[in-house]
Amino acid sequence: MEVDQAHFRRQLLPILKHIANAKFVSFDLEMSGISTRPKCSAGDRSHDVGKPTLQQQYDEMRSAAETFQVLQFGITCVEEDREKDFYLARPYNFNLNPLSAEGVDLRLDRTFTFSTSACDFLNKNGFDFGKVFREGVPYLSRDEEEERRAEYSQRANKNASIPDIVVGPEDLSTLEFSRLARKTIKDWFNDPTPDMSFVNIGSDAGALNAFQRRLVHQLVRNEFPTLRTFPRNDGYFMQVEHLDVKKEEEFQKRKDARFNTLIAKQKGLRWIFEALSGGDLSDIDPEWFYNQAAEDSDEQLLEVQREFAQVTQTLRRKKHVIVGHNLFADLAFLFRTFIGHLPVNVKHFQEDIHVLFPYVIDTKYVATYGNDAMNPRSNLKELLAPFRKTHVPLILLHQSHNAYGAEFGKEHEAGFDSWMTAELFVKLAASKCLEANVESESVSSSDSSGGGARLYESDFSVDGAPSGWHVRQLNAKANANTNPYAALSLDFAKDNDRDSTVSRQWLPDFNHNFWDIYVNKLRVNASETGFCDLAEREDDERLNGLRLPLRQVL
């Protein structure tokens, strides 16, 4: 399912629900470039005898993530239903728009960079670059938000910090303007019964310029501290009135609220990132989620507030399981997009990612674990191909997310690749379980390690077999000779019978020791070690100090 900017905020609550209910979430990215090291250049290492260190490999990847941008972000939320014997997948595809959100001006100034080789590749695979700017969802990193808030605070205190203009005795016209303005204000201020509750300061020559407006501000600030000045009629003249403390406070509250609303709208896709990393969702406005013009809008608001509170509570306590394929670069680009600049030291990067995502599984590492350099290639499509006719464990697309129903054809669209990653993970991990002779463990759906609390009833058939839509989906994939589920039909579903030859195999719970050799290991084939261990720690005071602000945010 593709979600654009126009529908993102209305769709956000259902997406958060599916993340909260998910057994695991897979993700994928498409970027505007993946390398800043040109071949046959001074930095080319193609003729080096040895492999680079993990730090050297990270330096290259960090350079790319700092130079290029994420164009697409895809996630697939996978739920596990042990009563109905299948995993249910909901893929989402988002284009990332580097421009300001509609109706939002936070003075963002970003440099957007494209690599021609990466764009040629995406273009050959049907990528629509125009959609990024026309329909893409905005975003705002944590660092960018902090900068916008600091700038806003500085602007709010600007009047108190601006130094006075010093007018020399030879500047007669400026002195005369100041004298007349002072006299006008003083006469009005001392009048016990003024005609108006304000006084205007203008010029017979026409509209005031910026220098004259600043002189009036300075005059009132220094000589009439109980008064306030405001530009009127697009700065044509200045209006001076008595300070109303209560009115001033209410105005500032409204101004702050408007600014916070702009920040929340600009965050856009970062709300998905915060949900996945256990971040703060408190600034999301429940009014995004319902029709305020409806007759029952009050009832709708109460309902979405209740649902949103339940979702955020579940997300805060949930042990998120994040799955991806070849994750080393993707996690760096994800960090750069939604957090900020990447740390220089790879050890700092490992700890940052581990704080954000304590449980990460790289399907490339799972697929290549124990292999040597002579093994076949391990890209996503090639790894998934032999599992396409494997339906145990069974993983199905939700009927509202059937755009990716074909086996292949949308590769290198982030949402589709995240769906392929989810399917590969379930089937690949199941095959590893069989090799290791690991039996699945039955857990209740309310187990926090198995996907969090259920937030709503699923729309499946109640008879224990896949619903009719899912049956037809399976039957369309293969004929009865190759598909063990081809015999399923609506009549079969009605009698609630199960094929005794079908295994009820499930993946072990994520706290099972089966996962110990795979979790938090990222495949980095080009490096000396061949992998990156996110859980690896070192006794480094500087490391702990640098990462303290991130922990405080979380």
Side-chain angles (χ1 to χ4, degrees):
M1 175 184 291
E2 184 159 303
V3 181
D4 59 18
Q5 181 174 173
H7 300 92
F8 175 75
R9 289 197 291 273
R10 184 60 65 88
Q11 289 289 327
L12 182 56
L13 183 57
I15 296 172
L16 294 179
K17 285 182 182 180
H18 298 145
I19 293 174
N21 281 336
K23 179 74 174 180
F24 67 89
V25 177
S26 59
F27 84 94
D28 186 75
L29 306 177
E30 298 299 334
M31 292 83 87
S32 63
I34 56 175
S35 176
T36 58
R37 179 169 58 86
K39 294 182 179 179
C40 304
S41 69
D44 187 6
R45 294 202 311 264
S46 59
H47 298 294
D48 290 357
V49 175
K51 286 187 174 183
T53 64
L54 183 62
Q55 179 65 51
Q56 288 176 314
Q57 196 68 19
Y58 172 74
D59 289 341
E60 288 189 11
M61 182 263 294
R62 182 171 66 90
S63 175
E66 294 284 351
T67 302
F68 302 111
Q69 288 74 38
V70 175
L71 299 176
Q72 260 184 6
F73 179 35
I75 64 169
T76 295
C77 305
V78 180
E79 297 177 28
E80 177 185 88
D81 195 313
R82 292 189 174 245
E83 293 181 0
K84 300 175 178 64
D85 278 351
F86 56 76
Y87 291 94
L88 188 67
R90 290 181 174 88
Y92 291 95
N93 188 63
F94 310 93
N95 290 293
L96 264 74
N97 192 341
L99 308 179
S100 296
E102 185 177 353
V104 175
D105 182 10
L106 293 174
R107 304 184 183 185
L108 289 173
D109 188 13
R110 291 164 168 159
T111 300
F112 204 65
T113 309
F114 286 92
S115 161
T116 54
S117 60
C119 291
D120 281 343
F121 175 80
L122 291 174
N123 190 51
K124 290 174 183 176
N125 284 277
F127 189 89
D128 188 344
F129 292 93
K131 267 190 174 183
V132 172
F133 301 97
R134 292 193 314 269
E135 303 175 11
V137 181
Y139 64 94
L140 189 71
S141 72
R142 290 183 184 176
D143 281 359
E144 287 175 322
E145 180 183 356
E146 185 177 343
E147 291 168 3
R148 296 305 96 199
R149 291 191 180 280
E151 181 184 320
Y152 174 78
S153 179
Q154 290 172 0
R155 290 202 308 269
N157 298 323
K158 186 177 179 181
N159 287 341
S161 59
I162 293 178
D164 286 348
I165 298 173
V166 179
V167 181
E170 70 284 355
D171 193 350
L172 299 180
S173 60
T174 300
L175 291 172
E176 179 63 14
F177 175 82
S178 297
R179 186 189 67 80
L180 290 175
R182 181 182 294 106
K183 182 178 184 305
T184 301
I185 296 170
K186 191 173 183 179
D187 289 346
W188 169 80
F189 183 75
N190 292 331
D191 188 346
T193 57
D195 294 335
M196 305 294 290
S197 61
F198 56 85
V199 63
N200 295 330
I201 305 298
S203 172
D204 294 337
L208 297 180
N209 58 38
F211 178 68
Q212 291 171 316
R213 293 195 296 272
R214 183 173 171 184
L215 285 173
V216 176
H217 276 302
Q218 176 177 306
L219 174 66
V220 171
R221 182 181 64 195
N222 293 339
E223 300 183 24
F224 303 93
T226 61
L227 303 180
R228 284 292 180 269
T229 56
F230 301 94
R232 300 299 189 206
N233 196 19
D234 197 25
Y236 195 92
F237 61 90
M238 298 296 291
Q239 191 168 91
V240 182
E241 60 184 47
H242 288 281
L243 172 64
D244 185 330
V245 176
K246 185 176 180 180
K247 183 179 178 181
E248 193 88 357
E249 289 176 349
E250 291 175 351
F251 171 79
Q252 190 60 46
K253 286 181 181 178
R254 291 195 301 272
K255 186 177 178 181
D256 292 345
R258 285 196 298 270
F259 176 76
N260 288 330
T261 297
L262 296 180
I263 288 286
K265 289 181 177 179
Q266 184 63 45
K267 281 185 183 179
L269 271 178
R270 204 182 102 208
W271 293 122
I272 304 297
F273 175 86
E274 299 292 359
L276 292 170
S277 60
D280 183 13
L281 302 176
S282 60
D283 287 340
I284 292 178
D285 189 350
E287 292 188 356
W288 297 346
F289 306 144
Y290 73 101
N291 182 7
Q292 300 179 42
E295 293 183 0
D296 62 342
S297 60
D298 291 341
E299 290 80 3
Q300 286 188 35
L301 176 58
L302 292 174
E303 178 62 20
V304 298
Q305 286 176 332
R306 182 192 64 79
E307 289 184 11
F308 181 59
Q310 187 178 4
V311 169
T312 53
Q313 183 181 15
T314 302
L315 288 171
R316 277 196 301 269
R317 68 170 185 258
K318 183 179 176 64
K319 180 181 178 181
H320 296 272
V321 176
I322 306 299
V323 177
H325 186 76
N326 204 13
L327 277 178
F328 191 54
D330 281 2
L331 286 171
F333 272 87
L334 201 68
F335 187 98
R336 180 64 184 92
T337 303
F338 297 118
I339 297 294
H341 292 290
L342 286 155
V344 174
N345 192 316
V346 67
K347 298 296 184 183
H348 300 171
F349 168 72
Q350 290 169 233
E351 184 179 355
D352 276 0
I353 295 299
H354 192 53
V355 170
L356 290 164
F357 306 114
Y359 205 105
V360 173
I361 298 177
D362 183 355
T363 52
K364 185 168 184 176
Y365 185 85
V366 176
T368 58
Y369 179 78
N371 294 349
D372 57 32
M374 295 297 102
N375 273 270
R377 293 168 60 187
S378 54
N379 69 48
L380 181 59
K381 183 177 179 180
E382 290 171 340
L383 286 173
L384 182 58
F387 289 108
R388 279 298 185 175
K389 294 182 180 181
T390 300
H391 300 299
V392 181
L394 178 61
I395 179 169
L396 301 172
L397 287 168
H398 188 275
Q399 62 191 52
S400 299
H401 297 251
N402 58 7
Y404 297 148
E407 288 193 356
F408 295 110
K410 290 196 175 183
E411 296 100 310
H412 308 295
E413 179 174 293
F416 182 75
D417 285 358
S418 74
W419 152 240
M420 287 203 301
T421 300
E423 184 177 7
L424 173 64
F425 171 65
V426 168
K427 296 177 179 180
L428 175 64
S431 71
K432 295 291 185 180
C433 287
L434 287 176
E435 292 173 9
N437 196 26
V438 175
E439 294 185 3
S440 63
E441 298 176 356
S442 179
V443 294
S444 67
S445 61
S446 62
D447 185 352
S448 61
S449 65
R454 302 295 300 177
L455 298 176
Y456 60 96
E457 292 299 321
S458 300
D459 51 346
F460 310 129
S461 60
V462 296
D463 51 29
S467 66
W469 187 89
H470 295 113
V471 171
R472 289 190 294 273
Q473 184 188 29
L474 283 171
N475 288 334
K477 284 187 174 181
N479 58 41
N481 295 326
T482 60
N483 183 357
Y485 280 86
L488 287 174
S489 66
L490 294 179
D491 291 336
F492 175 87
K494 287 178 182 178
D495 63 20
N496 197 25
D497 191 15
R498 301 295 183 100
D499 187 343
S500 60
T501 64
V502 176
S503 170
R504 289 181 57 86
Q505 179 190 349
W506 291 95
L507 299 184
D509 195 70
F510 287 115
N511 58 16
H512 192 285
N513 58 15
F514 163 77
W515 300 105
D516 292 350
I517 59 175
Y518 303 120
V519 68
N520 293 324
K521 308 291 195 308
L522 312 180
R523 178 59 68 200
V524 190
N525 279 331
S527 69
E528 288 177 341
T529 58
F531 70 96
C532 171
D533 186 352
L534 296 178
E536 183 182 25
R537 299 293 299 273
E538 63 180 29
D539 187 11
D540 183 350
E541 292 183 2
R542 177 175 175 272
L543 172 68
N544 293 333
L546 282 174
R547 303 279 62 84
L548 182 60
L550 181 60
R551 293 195 190 97
Q552 289 176 337
V553 170
L554 297 177

